[in-house]
Amino acid sequence: MRRLLFIYNPHAGKGLLKPKLSDVIDIFVKAGYEVVAYPTQAYRDAYKKVVQYEFGSYDLVVCSGGDGTIDEVVTGMMQRGDRTPIGYIPTGTTNDFANSLHIPKGLLSAADNAVNGAVFPCDVGRFNDDVFVYIAAFGLFTDVSYQTKQEVKNVLGHLAYVLEGTKRLFNVPSYRIKVTHDGETIEDEFIFGMVTNSRSVGGFRNMIGKQVVFDDGVFEVTLIKMPKNPLELQEIVAALLIEQVDTKHMYSFKTGNIVFESLEEIPWTLDGEFGGIHDRVEVQNLNRQLEIMVPEEHIRELMQNPEEYLLEEKQLEKKQLEDKQMEEK
C-alpha cells in the first residue's frame, strides 16, 4: 500500500479543516493510501517534519494550511535528496498560489485533487540560502501578512491586509537598490519590489503581467519607484487598484536570475512569512523542480509547452496498451 504524509495547520483560516478532517482522510484512504496525519504544533514544524522523515517513507506528502504552511513544506522538500510530489489543500486567507494553479477552493475537492490530480513540475525560487514558492518581496505592505494577528485574519479575512496596509501609505520607506539581471543594471529608489511565480498577489490579479506560466524558468519582477510627490503616490495606488502596470512609476520584466544590492539591510517577505533582513539578495529560478498535484484538465494552461504534455500522455497510453497486450498473450 502506498503511504501518504498529511501535514496540516489546525488553526489556518477559521479552522476550516477540523469538521472535515475525517472526510479528507477518507478520500486519501479510498485513493489507496495508508495515511499518517500530523497537525503542526509550532512555527517551522511542517518544515522539520518534511526534512526529517526517512528516505523513501512516503509516496506523497499532502499539506493543508495557508501560504506559510505550503512554504514550509516546499522548503523542506527542496532540502531532500529524494523529493516526493506534494498535494495542497488551501485553508489560508488569500491562497494566491493555489488559485493560480487552479487547485479547487472546496476542501473535499482539493483533497481529491491532492491524491487524484496530475503531477505538475513547477518552478520554485531560491532566495540566497532559502526557498520560496511564489513570491519574494520587500517594501510597502510586505510585512502586513506576518504583522497582522491570526485572530484578525480569521475575522476579517482579506480585508485585514487592506486595513493594515492603508496605515502605511502616509509613511512610505524607500530603499536605494542596485538591481542586476540578464546583463542589465538598474539603480533607483524603490518603495516596493517583488519576484513572483503567480497569477495573483494579495488577491490582486493582472498586476504582474499577462501570460504567466509556471514551468518556463523565469519569474515576473515588478519594482515600484519612490514617488516624488503625493500626486505620483496617488497614481501608483490607482494603478495598483485597477491592477495595471504603470511604466512611468514601475519596472516590469521577466528573468531567471536577479541580484539586489543595497547599502542598508532591507527586510524581505517570502510567501507572506518574514524572510530576514539582507543587503544582498540573489534570486534564482529552480526550473521545474517542485512536483505539485494540479487538476489534470488545467495542467496544459499552466505550461510553457503544453504539446510536450500531450506527447507524454500519448506515449504513456501507448505503453499501457502494449503492456495490456503483453499480459493478454
Side-chain angles (χ1 to χ4, degrees):
M1 200 178 205
R2 293 175 299 170
R3 301 189 80 227
L4 182 156
L5 174 61
F6 181 37
I7 300 172
Y8 64 96
N9 177 356
H11 307 296
K14 299 171 184 173
L16 291 172
L17 183 68
K18 283 184 182 177
K20 299 280 180 71
L21 188 58
S22 177
D23 294 328
V24 166
I25 291 174
D26 186 56
I27 288 169
F28 297 163
V29 173
K30 280 185 168 65
Y33 286 96
E34 178 188 350
V35 180
V36 175
Y38 184 80
T40 56
Q41 305 296 305
Y43 174 67
R44 298 287 280 177
D45 204 14
Y47 166 79
K48 290 173 190 168
K49 189 69 179 170
V50 172
V51 166
Q52 291 169 1
Y53 71 72
E54 288 185 17
F55 186 92
S57 297
Y58 300 103
D59 301 284
L60 181 66
V61 173
V62 178
C63 65
S64 180
D67 288 342
T69 304
I70 183 73
D71 176 83
E72 286 190 30
V73 169
V74 170
T75 301
M77 193 62 72
M78 297 306 291
Q79 305 292 333
R80 296 186 61 87
D82 61 326
R83 290 181 188 157
T84 306
I86 292 171
Y88 181 35
I89 304 172
T91 54
T93 310
T94 308
N95 304 314
D96 287 308
F97 185 61
N99 293 339
S100 295
L101 295 183
H102 297 282
I103 291 171
K105 290 182 172 66
L107 275 174
L108 301 186
S109 300
D112 181 70
N113 171 72
V115 287
N116 295 314
V119 178
F120 172 58
C122 186
D123 294 348
V124 69
R126 171 80 62 199
F127 177 95
N128 288 349
D129 296 324
D130 211 335
V131 168
F132 66 95
V133 179
Y134 78 98
I135 181 169
F138 68 85
L140 189 66
F141 301 146
T142 52
D143 62 346
V144 169
S145 177
Y146 54 82
Q147 287 195 4
T148 305
K149 290 182 180 175
Q150 186 63 50
E151 304 80 58
V152 179
K153 290 184 196 177
N154 291 348
V155 174
L156 295 175
H158 184 62
L159 185 61
Y161 294 109
V162 178
L163 291 173
E164 191 67 29
T166 52
K167 294 177 187 174
R168 293 136 199 277
L169 278 176
F170 304 103
N171 183 26
V172 182
S174 65
Y175 307 99
R176 187 85 191 169
I177 304 175
K178 178 183 171 185
V179 180
T180 308
H181 73 96
D182 305 303
E184 183 183 339
T185 299
I186 302 165
E187 199 159 348
D188 215 324
E189 196 92 8
F190 299 107
I191 59 169
F192 174 81
M194 63 180 177
V195 182
T196 61
N197 195 36
S198 177
R199 287 177 180 166
S200 71
V201 171
F204 289 97
R205 297 184 69 83
N206 305 323
M207 211 178 94
I208 44 188
K210 308 284 193 277
Q211 285 102 35
V212 174
V213 292
F214 299 88
D215 66 345
D216 58 355
V218 293
F219 291 125
E220 285 67 40
V221 180
T222 304
L223 303 169
I224 301 179
K225 294 189 264 187
M226 176 68 184
K228 296 183 178 65
N229 52 57
L231 180 62
E232 285 194 358
L233 178 59
Q234 194 176 336
E235 288 173 352
I236 290 167
V237 172
L240 296 178
L241 289 174
I242 61 170
E243 303 179 17
Q244 283 188 1
V245 172
D246 180 345
T247 52
K248 189 167 61 172
H249 302 300
M250 304 177 194
Y251 296 94
S252 182
F253 53 89
K254 294 174 185 272
T255 185
N257 195 287
I258 185 167
V259 176
F260 299 85
E261 295 171 286
S262 55
L263 290 174
E264 60 185 311
E265 291 189 320
I266 297 171
W268 283 75
T269 177
L270 305 178
D271 300 325
E273 301 294 322
F274 182 56
I277 55 172
H278 309 271
D279 56 13
R280 188 183 189 279
V281 163
E282 181 171 3
V283 176
Q284 180 188 1
N285 185 295
L286 304 177
N287 186 215
R288 296 167 62 95
Q289 291 196 30
L290 166 65
E291 291 191 320
I292 189 159
M293 306 298 285
V294 302
E296 189 160 12
E297 64 268 26
H298 290 293
I299 193 167
R300 288 186 289 278
E301 64 194 84
L302 305 175
M303 307 179 83
Q304 184 180 27
N305 298 309
E307 59 277 3
E308 282 182 15
Y309 179 73
L310 287 170
L311 184 62
E312 286 171 11
E313 265 191 331
K314 285 177 182 174
Q315 288 172 340
L316 182 62
E317 284 172 12
K318 185 182 175 186
K319 186 177 184 305
Q320 286 172 341
L321 183 63
E322 288 171 352
D323 291 345
K324 190 178 178 184
Q325 287 170 343
M326 286 290 288
E327 283 173 18
E328 288 170 353
K329 286 179 184 177

